[in-house]
């Protein structure tokens, strides 16, 4: 069991399933992303730059896609509680996996274009 697996395993089953789905979304969108714990949560890097992070909490899952990832999808994210570069998806509501996928794909493309 690696650090990410250990982190996810500490949460209730429902939250574990959501975090594993997010993990799969990131890995599918960026198979070469480096997965590691950062800031106490699962994080991913491409081209040496932060891609996204996610974290589990009692009542929500936090997604951290840097300010640019959130600015690009501001309208769709507007119904969720946010901070600069972060958004909270409540566990008592459907998780917008398609939106998360589009955010991750955007961040993958953004990091790739900055690396050129």
């Amino acid at each position: 069991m690696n650090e990410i697996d250990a982190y996810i395993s500490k949460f209730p089953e429902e939250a574990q399933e959501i975090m594993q789905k997010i993990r799969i979304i990131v890995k599918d969108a960026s198979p070469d992303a480096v997965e590691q714990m950062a800031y106490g949560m699962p994080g991913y890097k491409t081209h040496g730059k932060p891609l996204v992070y996610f974290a589990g909490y009692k009542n929500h899952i936090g997604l951290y896609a840097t300010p640019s990832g959130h600015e690009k999808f501001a309208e769709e994210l507007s119904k969720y509680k946010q901070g600069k570069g972060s958004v909270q998806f409540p566990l008592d509501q459907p998780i917008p996996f398609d939106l998360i996928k589009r955010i991750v794909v955007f961040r993958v493309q953004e990091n790739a274009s900055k690396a050129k």
Side-chain angles (χ1 to χ4, degrees):
M1 181 179 286
N2 68 27
E3 282 184 297
I4 308 289
D5 293 323
Y7 174 87
I8 291 172
S9 73
K10 294 177 185 175
F11 291 89
E13 189 173 330
E14 177 189 11
Q16 287 183 41
E17 290 174 10
I18 293 166
M19 288 188 276
Q20 289 292 4
K21 285 182 184 179
I22 293 171
R23 192 177 186 192
I24 290 167
I25 287 169
V26 175
K27 288 180 175 185
D28 286 350
S30 185
D32 297 328
V34 175
E35 180 182 59
Q36 62 190 27
M37 290 296 290
Y39 308 107
M41 64 184 120
Y44 300 85
K45 287 186 175 185
T46 55
H47 305 284
K49 303 282 186 196
L51 182 65
V52 296
Y53 305 90
F54 65 85
Y57 297 92
K58 182 178 179 181
N59 297 312
H60 71 275
I61 300 294
L63 181 72
Y64 307 85
T66 75
S68 64
H70 294 276
E71 290 165 5
K72 174 74 174 171
F73 298 91
E75 186 174 327
E76 291 174 87
L77 292 170
S78 66
K79 63 183 174 181
Y80 301 101
K81 185 174 181 181
Q82 298 181 61
K84 185 177 181 178
S86 68
V87 62
Q88 296 179 8
F89 298 119
L91 293 173
D92 63 354
Q93 297 177 18
I95 303 296
F97 293 111
D98 181 62
L99 175 58
I100 292 170
K101 180 180 179 178
R102 289 185 284 125
I103 291 169
V104 172
V105 168
F106 169 77
R107 290 288 300 125
V108 168
Q109 293 169 346
E110 186 176 47
N111 277 3
S113 69
K114 287 180 181 179
K116 290 181 182 179

